[in-house]
Amino acid sequence: MDDPTSVHADTSFAAERIPGQSLDSRDLVMRFESLGGTGHGCEFGLFQRHFDAEPVGLLRWADLSHDLLTRALETRFDGVGMPENTIVFNPDHSDEWWTRDTRFWMAMRSFVKVADVDQERMTVMVCRRLQGLRRKLIEDLEAGDKIFAFKNLKRNLTDTELAQLHAAIRSYGDTTLFYIRYADETHPAGTVEAMGPGLLVGFIDHFSFTPDDKPLGAINDALYALCERAYEIQTGRPVAQSPSLPRPVVLPSRSRRVALIGNCQAQAMTNLYQKFAAGRTGDILTHVPSYEDLTEEDRATIERADLVVEQLFDIKPQADVAGIAAGTPRLFIPMVTAGFLWPFAGQAHPRNADCPFLVGGPYGGEASDSYLNRLILAGTDPEEAVEAYMDLDVRNRTNLDRLYELIIDRQRSRDEAAEYRISEIIEQHFRSEQIFLSPYHPNVRVAVSLATQFFQQMGASPQDIARMQACTRVTPFPKGELPIHPSVARHFGMDFVTPDRRYRFLNEGLFTFREYALRYMRYEWNEALEEGMSLARAGKLGEAHDRLVAAITCKPDAAAAHNSLSHVLVAQNRLEEGAAEIRRAIEIEPDFAAYRANYGVILRRMGQLEEAEAQLRQAVIADPVEPHNLILLAHVLRQRGQAEEGCALIRAAIDLDPYSPKLFEELADFLEATGDVPAALRAMQQAVELAPERARALARLCHLFGRNGQLAEAEAAVRSAVALDPKAARLRIVLSDILLRQNKHLEALNEVLLAAVTHPDDAEVYSHLG
């Protein structure tokens, strides 16, 4: 089994097609997911790579038999990724770690060098990844949007074996199995037949290897023909024949102006919609805070809106929007909370104060405890107060069950009024997982559910909703956690709240319940850290350096402080010192992708490209849905002479963020570097289509048209750029050059003269004029 891929992002999200429009080759093969196979189970994955498709799947490279696959499906891959079921090993022929499941015998490469990570650390990383891939496969099987392919190199399955495998697949829902087998007298090669609901069988002359493992060569054309026919049978839609880039997004002729009125939850929904859907819809969303008085600008935003989305609360918010834009269509979104887990929250620390560099202060409402507040005001000794608080049974101070009923009932009422379903998610999951970080800051499950229903309410496409769901791996809310009192956890049976559980506080790191309570009593927080990070973001490097050093002296294990200091040192060109700081941050939090990416960037600047590549690959493993990490890795690979692999990474980034013109520009640069100018030109055209007002993009488009011999188109592109920025001397020089190549000498001369008028001291202008 071979898996040479280095793309770890899920590239299954292609731009939505216009109704009735056919798919291109890459998009077609992305509609399939491999379930591996018996004998060279990677074959279908390599076939997808042939068409620049790099979907991530648990079984894409797996070699496993039909019976093991059937059993794994029937048990919902239970235990996959658990340390007790996972072997991490280093084969003789490889310098990388590999993994194998002890029950189902699935094996795959990790793409992490043995020299970079020890076996213990690799086990932790790969188990987490396998568990994530397991969840994704189950979600895809239940969604039923993909066609799942399987083959047996050794022989054709019997009818009974195929029926068992098909039944296991269909147990997940309306899911389609595509079984590829050897042709026979009644089923010639190239035939695809529907053998029942959700069962397609394709027939082929041979695979890439014989049953006794002799190589025969790739069969990409034959597999593509089978996939094409299978897709047409399933959907009734045609398939185009030539591979191409993802199609450009077609934006609406008129976008909606949307005012979204609410608290931080409404702000988070605004941000998610802007990131994942507004690029397609063209909607312009503006958040209007409900927790403060309306400004004139807020009032004007609501009055100009084509649609108002209003958050529903139990009590009237401070922002009074009654009567404003009364005739404008309105949608509603419920406020969500699990406040019953923190019966003493909501009242800020007595000493809490707002700061220019920390809005809301360190211990505001979401990080507060009114029980401890009373002890603080009473002058109780912090140690005595915390010991008493640890021994407290909260049930003696408040009826937790009644509080739970009241809060869930109110949530259900808000849900019904807004036509959402959040209360049942809270009820179902709050005992088994951390679904809220603090009373009004939901964790990923609730945040994604809220966003999904909001996107549906707004009319977002299924593709954008699926992309949002897959890419939102971390909550869009502040990451600070309010510890849950041990007696509250015991009362509700929250097994994940263990005595040694640690909670994140600001950027300082993790603390136990007792540590947090003691710091709260003493009003302790690392002010130098928050100020230093703020100064670093503002570019005040000297001041930032001093405050961050002070912060680290106060708390040496604050990974964020070391990371921020590394950025300051690198900006001061102190690369070795910056590298040392980011290494310390990684030692403290080795799973944080941003730290790995930062280290990779520093190593690249130091010329250590192999080491930079290793760090960036680990960043991609840690966060496979962050396009920026893919782009950073692509640039390192290009420097190492692997521009084609870099192109695959940029395509993966585009699938994660298909509305980014800059990503298409990146792809155009890489394609041009590989010598594929026509493909680079198509990518640049898509960049311009997404952002037609960018003069620089039009100039790049002109360049590629010129390289492709399309001088008239090149002239039109650069003229559009000049119209956007008429004072740019460089654009007029480019236009002059294109005109000269078309023998339009006087027009060319005129453009340079115009440049000389506006830039009389520009030597390049006079050089070109000469």
Side-chain angles (χ1 to χ4, degrees), residues 600-615:
V601 170
I602 295 172
L603 290 168
R604 182 187 177 199
R605 285 191 58 179
M606 296 170 68
Q608 300 176 27
L609 297 184
E610 183 176 356
E611 295 82 356
E613 179 184 339
Q615 290 298 322

Side-chain angles (χ1 to χ4, degrees), residues 4-25:
T5 185
S6 63
V7 181
H8 296 274
D10 186 351
T11 62
S12 61
F13 307 105
E16 185 183 28
R17 295 300 181 267
I18 300 170
Q21 191 177 52
S22 61
L23 293 176
D24 59 37
S25 302

Side-chain angles (χ1 to χ4, degrees), residues 160-417:
T160 300
E161 291 168 337
L162 179 57
Q164 291 171 341
L165 179 58
H166 178 228
I169 287 280
R170 295 291 284 182
S171 68
Y172 291 82
D174 189 16
T175 307
T176 299
L177 170 65
F178 181 35
Y179 168 52
I180 305 172
R181 57 169 288 171
Y182 290 106
D184 54 39
E185 293 181 358
T186 57
H187 300 95
T191 303
V192 177
E193 288 191 4
M195 299 294 192
L199 178 59
L200 300 174
V201 179
F203 297 85
I204 199 165
D205 270 331
H206 62 83
F207 294 100
S208 301
F209 289 79
T210 65
D212 56 356
D213 213 33
K214 294 179 180 178
L216 297 175
I219 55 168
N220 295 322
D221 291 343
L223 283 176
Y224 183 83
L226 291 177
C227 290
E228 182 180 50
R229 181 61 183 142
Y231 177 81
E232 289 174 346
I233 291 174
Q234 188 198 43
T235 66
R237 302 174 188 170
V239 179
Q241 296 297 318
S242 59
S244 70
L245 297 164
R247 298 180 188 275
V249 177
V250 179
L251 299 180
S253 58
R254 181 179 184 276
S255 59
R256 295 177 297 181
R257 292 167 297 186
V258 183
L260 213 157
I261 308 167
N263 63 13
C264 63
Q265 296 174 9
Q267 176 72 73
M269 296 304 105
T270 300
N271 295 340
L272 286 174
Y273 191 86
Q274 288 172 331
K275 180 177 180 180
F276 293 107
R280 183 192 304 274
T281 65
D283 292 336
I284 301 171
L285 273 68
T286 304
H287 173 239
V288 177
S290 61
Y291 44 81
E292 56 189 37
D293 294 332
L294 286 178
T295 64
E296 288 302 317
E297 184 179 355
D298 292 337
R299 186 177 296 273
T301 295
I302 299 171
E303 290 175 343
R304 288 195 302 263
D306 302 305
L307 174 66
V308 173
V309 180
E310 194 171 343
Q311 193 173 20
L312 296 179
F313 299 94
D314 292 329
I315 59 175
K316 184 178 179 181
Q318 185 171 342
D320 185 5
V321 299
I324 304 177
T328 303
R330 263 177 163 76
L331 297 174
F332 297 94
I333 183 171
M335 181 267 291
V336 299
T337 181
F340 56 88
L341 297 177
W342 297 276
F344 302 128
Q347 182 186 81
H349 192 289
R351 294 171 57 189
N352 188 63
D354 208 353
C355 302
F357 50 86
L358 186 61
V359 177
Y363 293 107
E366 286 295 293
S368 65
D369 191 303
S370 62
Y371 185 91
L372 292 178
N373 287 349
R374 288 191 291 274
L375 298 178
I376 291 169
L377 294 173
T380 309
D381 176 75
E383 290 281 358
E384 293 179 11
V386 171
E387 290 304 320
Y389 195 29
M390 293 291 294
D391 293 336
L392 175 72
D393 188 339
V394 175
R395 292 176 299 181
N396 295 331
R397 300 298 298 259
T398 186
N399 187 330
L400 292 176
D401 290 329
R402 181 56 181 155
L403 181 62
Y404 167 74
E405 291 173 2
L406 288 172
I407 289 177
I408 288 296
D409 283 345
R410 290 171 184 169
Q411 185 66 61
R412 193 175 295 113
S413 296
R414 293 191 298 273
D415 287 355
E416 291 173 356

Side-chain angles (χ1 to χ4, degrees), residues 458-490:
M458 291 287 291
S461 73
Q463 288 83 356
D464 288 339
I465 293 173
R467 195 162 51 85
M468 178 276 294
Q469 292 170 336
C471 292
T472 308
R473 304 284 186 90
V474 178
T475 181
F477 293 90
K479 309 307 180 286
E481 303 168 82
L482 183 59
I484 299 173
H485 193 282
S487 68
V488 174
R490 288 194 299 270

Side-chain angles (χ1 to χ4, degrees), residues 349-624:
H349 192 289
R351 294 171 57 189
N352 188 63
D354 208 353
C355 302
F357 50 86
L358 186 61
V359 177
Y363 293 107
E366 286 295 293
S368 65
D369 191 303
S370 62
Y371 185 91
L372 292 178
N373 287 349
R374 288 191 291 274
L375 298 178
I376 291 169
L377 294 173
T380 309
D381 176 75
E383 290 281 358
E384 293 179 11
V386 171
E387 290 304 320
Y389 195 29
M390 293 291 294
D391 293 336
L392 175 72
D393 188 339
V394 175
R395 292 176 299 181
N396 295 331
R397 300 298 298 259
T398 186
N399 187 330
L400 292 176
D401 290 329
R402 181 56 181 155
L403 181 62
Y404 167 74
E405 291 173 2
L406 288 172
I407 289 177
I408 288 296
D409 283 345
R410 290 171 184 169
Q411 185 66 61
R412 193 175 295 113
S413 296
R414 293 191 298 273
D415 287 355
E416 291 173 356
E419 298 183 357
Y420 277 65
R421 297 175 63 184
I422 298 295
S423 60
E424 60 193 59
I425 295 173
I426 297 173
E427 290 179 281
Q428 183 178 353
H429 295 284
F430 84 91
R431 289 181 172 85
S432 59
E433 65 180 83
Q434 187 184 22
I435 59 170
F436 275 77
L437 303 181
S438 60
Y440 295 95
H441 290 170
N443 210 344
V444 177
R445 182 184 293 276
V446 173
V448 168
S449 179
L450 186 67
T452 297
Q453 295 174 72
F454 173 61
F455 277 40
Q456 292 169 340
Q457 190 181 48
M458 291 287 291
S461 73
Q463 288 83 356
D464 288 339
I465 293 173
R467 195 162 51 85
M468 178 276 294
Q469 292 170 336
C471 292
T472 308
R473 304 284 186 90
V474 178
T475 181
F477 293 90
K479 309 307 180 286
E481 303 168 82
L482 183 59
I484 299 173
H485 193 282
S487 68
V488 174
R490 288 194 299 270
H491 176 77
F492 287 118
M494 303 168 72
D495 295 336
F496 67 93
V497 183
T498 57
D500 59 347
R501 183 178 179 86
R502 306 181 74 82
Y503 300 85
R504 185 172 297 278
F505 176 70
L506 297 179
N507 291 294
E508 297 182 34
L510 306 173
F511 301 89
T512 64
F513 181 89
R514 189 187 190 284
E515 291 169 341
Y516 183 93
L518 189 59
R519 285 165 56 85
Y520 188 91
M521 286 293 300
R522 293 170 173 167
Y523 194 63
E524 291 179 357
W525 63 292
N526 199 329
E527 183 176 350
L529 171 55
E530 300 302 327
E531 185 178 11
M533 293 180 66
S534 176
L535 289 166
R537 289 190 292 268
K540 298 178 180 180
L541 302 182
E543 298 174 68
H545 177 275
D546 294 343
R547 294 302 284 160
L548 289 169
V549 169
I552 291 171
T553 302
C554 175
K555 195 171 193 306
D557 62 347
H562 292 282
N563 177 61
S564 187
L565 182 56
S566 79
H567 282 288
V568 170
L569 291 167
V570 169
Q572 295 173 330
N573 208 31
R574 298 157 66 179
L575 300 184
E576 292 287 352
E577 296 172 79
E581 290 298 330
I582 194 59
R583 281 196 296 271
R584 178 63 183 130
I586 291 172
E587 288 172 6
I588 298 167
E589 293 192 47
D591 298 334
F592 199 49
Y595 297 164
R596 297 279 184 182
N598 182 19
Y599 192 24
V601 170
I602 295 172
L603 290 168
R604 182 187 177 199
R605 285 191 58 179
M606 296 170 68
Q608 300 176 27
L609 297 184
E610 183 176 356
E611 295 82 356
E613 179 184 339
Q615 290 298 322
L616 290 169
R617 287 192 187 280
Q618 292 198 45
V620 171
I621 292 173
D623 188 357

Side-chain angles (χ1 to χ4, degrees), residues 15 17 24 26-27 244-248 651 654-655 664 686:
R17 295 300 181 267
D24 59 37
R26 178 174 178 272
D27 288 331
S244 70
L245 297 164
R247 298 180 188 275
R651 289 182 188 276
I654 287 173
D655 283 332
F664 280 101
Q686 293 186 19

